[in-house]
Amino acid sequence: MANTASALDCDDGSKGDAKRPRPLLSLNDAIDIASSFSRAVERTEVIPLAEVNGRELSCDVAAHHDLPLFDQSAMDGYALSGDAETYELSPLAGTRAGDRPGFVYPGQAMKIATGGFMPAGADRVALQEHTVQRNGKLIVKGPLERGSNIRLRGEDVQKDDSILPKGSRLDPQKIALLAAQGVGRVEVRGRPRVAVISSGDELRQPGDVLRAGNIYDSNRPMLLALAEKAGAAVTDAGCVADDVQAVANAIARLSQSNDFVLLSGGSSHGDADMTRAALLCAGAAAEELKIAIKPGKPAVVGRLGGASVLGVPGNPFAAFVSWLTLGRSMLGIMLGIPSELLSRARKLPVSNTLQRRPGRTEFVPARIVWDESEERLEFLGRGGSARLLPLSRADGLAWVEADRGSVQAGERVRFIPF
């Protein structure tokens, strides 16, 4: 089937859909399946050095020149020529960083600043606090070896050395190294292009008048912000109606210019559940996931052309958890790095009780509180798949394993900080 909106002609996807219930997937299995629909972004872009923090180098970088560029003083003090206890102060002006000095003859000393160009003839630097001046003479306290307190040209980096290999994740330290080489623009892996779309006849936008049964779309702004924060270049693709044809057309169109299409709504059982049907209609590979988590049990993953597709539930907290678990993992593959969000979880004691039955992994909004100088977690209600206020007040999510029952005050749970 052609991957164009005009070629699509779909039914509602309900025919032949009856099937036996499948066991719920574990969270890890669901992440593995979702990740299998994702691919690393291979295109590159050249961007200013000021914008490269956190990006991945797409080529090796060799040194353009030596570092340091010249022999320079490592300290404020005096550049000396020869080994002596007393030196004649040079009549030449002392050198500041950036100045090119004259010549220092044997038995002479010239004042020099940290980073200053070593004058010709000088072979050591005496620290300012290790010297005294008497009658126009400079007296050095104690012996001073040749080469003391000098940074030699190229001792850090030599021209044409390999300084950063392809695939390096650029951080402030590596950015400093590039800046010291005079690099102004850097070739990096392209940011994944993520289009976010909502489906729902009931959805309205800010400024619209709400009528009976209408709600404002909170998922799309949230998912756009989450994807951008995670390193994506995002596109707001608006809303579509609860209609297989409309959703299929939107997915087909967006898959042509994006690496990732993220759709909220239409992924759980019910009359409006059409994401998988729409993906199949558009000619995509698709798989419906039923996951043993709460919230975020239903999801749909697929691939159409060069784009991955993730359908998440319409309830806001469930959509948030689906992004946290599945979306971040899929985007991590596109970025060339594994998602570390779940692996960053740490165990903390809790300050209140959570009543629950074992069987599904549960994510609960929680905030950090202090009790007798000890860091603890406070559960902020059960969250509820549609509730936003507890999520907005949370510092992160408590992560309760599937085989665990009620959690009592003082017990420890895993915590994923925002």
Side-chain angles (χ1 to χ4, degrees):
M1 182 177 293
N3 180 16
T4 62
S6 60
L8 304 182
D9 183 14
C10 309
D11 58 28
D12 64 3
S14 61
K15 296 178 182 179
D17 248 4
K19 50 189 175 182
R20 295 179 181 177
R22 293 182 298 172
L24 296 181
L25 293 164
S26 71
L27 176 58
N28 285 336
D29 285 346
I31 290 173
D32 288 344
I33 292 171
S35 298
S36 72
F37 284 86
S38 194
R39 304 288 184 274
V41 172
E42 299 297 341
R43 71 177 173 276
T44 65
E45 56 183 321
V46 178
I47 59 176
L49 186 65
E51 299 174 11
V52 302
N53 192 30
R55 303 293 293 274
E56 180 186 332
L57 269 180
S58 60
C59 59
D60 296 334
V61 176
H64 297 176
H65 51 69
D66 296 337
L67 285 180
L69 272 167
F70 47 83
D71 292 350
Q72 59 183 233
S73 175
M75 299 286 180
D76 288 346
Y78 293 87
L80 310 176
S81 179
D83 182 16
E85 293 183 359
T86 304
Y87 294 83
E88 294 283 345
L89 284 169
S90 171
L92 298 174
T95 64
R96 298 174 299 175
D99 289 343
R100 179 104 185 216
F103 197 93
V104 174
Y105 294 93
Q108 278 190 329
M110 180 185 293
K111 192 170 179 61
I112 193 168
T114 302
F117 200 121
M118 285 295 294
D123 59 7
R124 67 202 74 196
V125 173
L127 275 62
Q128 185 166 311
E129 56 268 31
H130 293 170
T131 64
V132 293
Q133 291 189 39
R134 291 176 186 164
N135 301 320
K137 304 282 188 182
L138 183 77
I139 299 173
V140 178
K141 302 174 184 177
L144 194 63
E145 295 182 358
R146 181 185 179 90
S148 293
N149 303 314
I150 296 175
R151 301 172 186 152
L152 297 176
R153 175 174 180 161
E155 70 174 26
D156 186 15
V157 173
Q158 294 187 2
K159 184 180 179 181
D160 297 327
D161 280 354
S162 176
I163 56 173
L164 291 175
K166 177 181 177 180
S168 296
R169 188 67 49 183
L170 295 172
D171 54 23
Q173 303 92 289
K174 295 181 182 68
I175 291 170
L177 179 59
L178 291 171
Q181 287 289 320
V183 174
R185 298 179 68 81
V186 183
E187 184 178 333
V188 296
R189 184 196 294 267
R191 295 171 69 191
R193 296 188 290 250
V194 178
V196 181
I197 187 169
S198 294
S199 69
D201 296 332
E202 78 284 8
L203 298 178
R204 297 295 181 269
Q205 306 310 310
D208 291 348
V209 175
L210 293 183
R211 306 192 184 283
N214 294 162
I215 61 171
Y216 289 119
D217 181 9
S218 58
N219 280 9
R220 203 169 79 253
M222 175 183 71
L223 293 170
L224 283 164
L226 286 167
E228 185 174 41
K229 183 178 180 181
V234 299
T235 296
D236 184 347
C239 284
V240 293
D242 280 329
D243 176 79
V244 171
Q245 186 79 57
V247 174
N249 288 345
I251 292 173
R253 173 175 54 82
L254 294 170
S255 67
Q256 295 175 6
S257 56
N258 292 279
D259 305 298
F260 195 0
V261 179
L262 184 57
L263 171 69
S264 74
S267 62
S268 61
H269 287 299
D271 293 339
D273 305 324
M274 85 300 285
T275 304
R276 180 174 177 273
L279 273 167
L280 294 175
C281 170
E287 186 163 349
E288 186 179 19
L289 306 179
K290 299 299 178 186
I291 314 167
I293 63 172
K294 182 179 181 180
K297 174 184 172 183
V300 177
V301 291
R303 189 161 184 87
L304 182 58
S308 302
V309 183
L310 172 63
V312 302
N315 285 320
F317 184 34
F320 185 94
V321 171
S322 291
W323 169 261
L324 183 82
T325 53
L326 305 179
R328 280 290 298 261
S329 299
M330 296 173 75
L331 188 68
I333 289 174
M334 296 177 195
L335 290 165
I337 52 174
S339 175
E340 298 178 349
L341 196 64
L342 297 181
S343 64
R344 288 213 323 263
R346 56 195 178 102
K347 287 201 168 184
L348 291 174
V350 300
S351 63
N352 53 349
T353 299
L354 177 70
Q355 298 294 336
R356 58 170 260 122
R357 293 180 179 178
R360 290 164 65 181
T361 298
E362 185 168 1
F363 293 95
V364 183
R367 67 182 176 189
I368 295 175
V369 296
W370 290 89
D371 180 13
E372 297 179 354
S373 300
E374 182 182 34
E375 201 175 22
R376 288 177 176 261
L377 288 181
E378 179 185 356
F379 295 118
L380 299 177
R382 295 305 292 270
S385 61
R387 295 186 65 194
L388 280 170
L389 189 62
L391 185 62
S392 71
R393 293 176 174 175
D395 296 314
L397 297 183
W399 175 5
V400 185
E401 294 86 349
D403 59 357
R404 189 166 180 177
S406 296
V407 181
Q408 306 299 321
E411 295 181 352
R412 290 178 175 268
V413 298
R414 286 191 283 184
F415 176 65
I416 305 170
F418 294 153

